[in-house]
Amino acid sequence: MKREIPATVKDQALIKKRRNQMIRGAVSLFKQKGFHRTTTREIAKASGFSIGTLYEYIRTKEDVLYLVCDSIYDEVSERLNTMELGQGTIASLKIAIDHYFKVMDDMRDEVLIMYQEAKALSNEALPYVLKKELEMVQMFERLIKRCVEHDGLDFSKEHQYLLAQNIFVQGQMWGFRRWALKKTFTIDDYIYLQTDLLLAGMEGYQSQA
C-alpha cells in the first residue's frame, strides 16, 4: 500500500506541483551534500518557497527522500503501462527496455540519490520502496513470459526471473555509473549494446525452437 504523506493543503494539484518542486530542489542538494547534511530550510529555499510552506506539504525531511524514491518508480510504471507491449514478442521487449533505460537516463540524478541515500529511510518507509522495486522487476517478468509463450521458447522460470532482474539493474547502472560509461557510450549506444547482451541468450533459445 502506498504510504500517505499528510499535507495541510487540500488542493491535490497544488500538492503535486509543490512536491515536484521539492523533489527537484532536494535532488540537487542531496547530490551535493548528502541527505544527512541537508536541512529542510535549504530544501525549502531550493524549492522556491519558505520553510513554513514546506511543512504544509510534508512532515519531515525523510518524507522528501521518500518522494524522490517514489517518483522514480511512478515514472517507470507510467511510461511502461502506456505502451503497447501485449504482442509478446522479443521486439516489444526491446522497446520496453529502451523506454525503461531512457527513464533511468532522464532521472539519473534521482537514481543516484536513491542508491546513496535510501538507507536513510525509516523502517516504515523502506519496505514500501523495496516493494516498488520488485513491482518494476515483475513488469519485465510478465513481458518476458509473454515472449516465451508467444514463441514457444524453452526458457525456464528461473531464466525469466534472472533476466528481469538483470534488465532492471542494468538500466539503473546507467544512473550510478554514468560518470564512467558516458566516456565511451551515448545512452543510445548503451541501450543497444546492453539489450544485445541481455537478450542474446533468449534469442538463442528462439533460434533453436
Side-chain angles (χ1 to χ4, degrees):
M1 182 180 296
K2 190 177 182 72
R3 179 187 173 198
E4 294 298 328
I5 297 176
T8 59
V9 176
K10 302 304 180 185
D11 185 334
Q12 293 301 311
L14 186 57
I15 290 173
K16 183 177 181 179
K17 177 182 177 181
R18 292 289 186 245
R19 286 181 173 172
N20 283 338
Q21 288 175 265
M22 287 181 209
I23 290 169
R24 291 194 297 271
V27 164
S28 62
L29 288 167
F30 292 165
K31 185 177 178 181
Q32 176 187 357
K33 303 180 62 174
F35 173 77
H36 291 291
R37 292 176 57 212
T38 299
T39 67
T40 51
R41 190 171 298 278
E42 288 172 326
I43 294 172
K45 183 178 180 180
S47 304
F49 39 76
S50 69
I51 187 70
T53 299
L54 182 84
Y55 282 114
E56 292 178 0
Y57 299 94
I58 60 162
R59 299 166 304 173
T60 66
K61 184 172 65 170
E62 185 201 68
D63 286 343
V64 182
L65 179 58
Y66 171 85
L67 291 171
V68 171
C69 295
D70 202 38
S71 69
I72 296 172
Y73 300 118
D74 283 347
E75 182 71 16
V76 173
S77 295
E78 183 178 340
R79 292 205 197 182
L80 292 185
N81 285 332
T82 57
M83 294 170 55
E84 294 295 330
L85 298 173
Q87 302 97 321
T89 63
I90 289 179
S92 65
L93 179 57
K94 288 180 178 179
I95 293 171
I97 292 171
D98 180 89
H99 277 61
Y100 168 62
F101 279 30
K102 284 179 178 174
V103 173
M104 294 297 97
D105 181 44
D106 291 344
M107 306 187 75
R108 55 186 177 270
D109 287 343
E110 288 90 338
V111 172
L112 180 62
I113 296 305
M114 185 190 69
Y115 269 88
Q116 289 177 335
E117 307 294 353
K119 60 184 180 294
L121 289 168
S122 69
N123 291 334
E124 175 191 0
L126 184 58
Y128 171 76
V129 171
L130 296 179
K131 182 174 180 290
K132 294 282 277 191
E133 279 206 8
L134 291 178
E135 289 173 359
M136 294 298 99
V137 173
Q138 287 165 4
M139 290 180 72
F140 281 106
E141 278 191 88
R142 289 193 294 271
L143 292 173
I144 294 164
K145 182 181 179 181
R146 289 179 199 165
C147 293
V148 171
E149 293 171 346
H150 180 271
D151 290 323
L153 307 183
D154 184 18
F155 202 64
S156 71
K157 289 183 179 179
E158 290 79 10
H159 280 90
Q160 295 172 42
Y161 174 77
L162 283 177
L163 177 57
Q165 292 280 356
N166 286 339
I167 291 169
F168 184 78
V169 171
Q170 295 305 321
Q172 292 192 333
M173 189 174 84
W174 178 256
F176 59 78
R177 294 289 299 174
R178 182 177 174 273
W179 64 270
L181 294 168
K182 69 179 181 180
K183 296 175 183 177
T184 305
F185 309 115
T186 66
I187 181 60
D188 289 325
D189 293 334
Y190 181 78
I191 292 170
Y192 174 80
L193 292 168
Q194 283 288 16
T195 302
D196 188 52
L197 289 171
L198 286 163
L199 301 187
M202 191 175 190
E203 291 177 322
Y205 282 94
Q206 183 185 46
S207 64
Q208 297 168 21

